[in-house]
């Protein structure tokens, strides 16, 4: 089992986050239910840096980005979400 930690999103995460947001297998569970374009993914990342609302899930030893999770309000109800760019991770 891999130990993980939660941390804030960092500039160093951009390549991994954009790759995850452009992956149709991951994105079929998230947001628009489709892979984002390069421009959309870049904009999403910059917005997430400027307006933190999620935590990065990173490998504890290496600090490598695995995915993200967070709590957000949808129609006035708090809702939890998690996603992973890795095939063995939680993607719902």
């Amino acid at each position: 089992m891999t130990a993980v930690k939660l941390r804030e999103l960092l500039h160093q995460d951009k390549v991994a986050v954009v790759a995850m947001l452009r992956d149709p297998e991951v994105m079929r569970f998230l947001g628009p239910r489709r892979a984002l374009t390069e421009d959309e993914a870049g904009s999403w990342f910059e917005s997430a840096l400027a307006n933190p609302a999620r935590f990065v899930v990173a490998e504890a030893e290496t600090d490598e980005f695995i995915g993200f999770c967070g709590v957000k309000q949808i129609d006035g109800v708090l809702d939890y979400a998690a996603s992973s760019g890795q095939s063995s991770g939680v993607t719902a």
Side-chain angles (χ1 to χ4, degrees):
M1 180 179 283
T2 301
V4 298
K5 65 180 180 179
L6 299 179
R7 64 165 170 78
E8 66 186 14
L9 184 66
L10 304 171
H11 285 281
Q12 71 193 37
D13 298 317
K14 186 170 185 175
V15 171
V17 171
V18 168
M20 184 185 76
L21 296 173
R22 298 197 69 221
D23 183 335
E25 286 299 307
V26 173
M27 293 305 291
R28 69 188 176 126
F29 297 104
L30 302 173
R33 307 278 193 248
R34 64 167 176 80
L36 301 184
T37 67
E38 184 81 27
D39 287 343
E40 288 171 329
S43 292
W44 185 97
F45 183 82
E46 294 304 323
S47 177
L49 274 178
N51 306 295
R54 294 170 183 84
F55 294 100
V56 165
V57 179
E59 188 172 323
E61 251 185 65
T62 65
D63 200 38
E64 180 183 358
F65 175 90
I66 296 171
F68 57 80
C69 66
V71 177
K72 60 191 228 179
Q73 202 169 60
I74 300 174
D75 297 328
V77 177
L78 292 177
D79 189 21
Y80 166 80
S83 67
S84 169
Q86 298 187 356
S87 59
S88 62
V90 175
T91 56

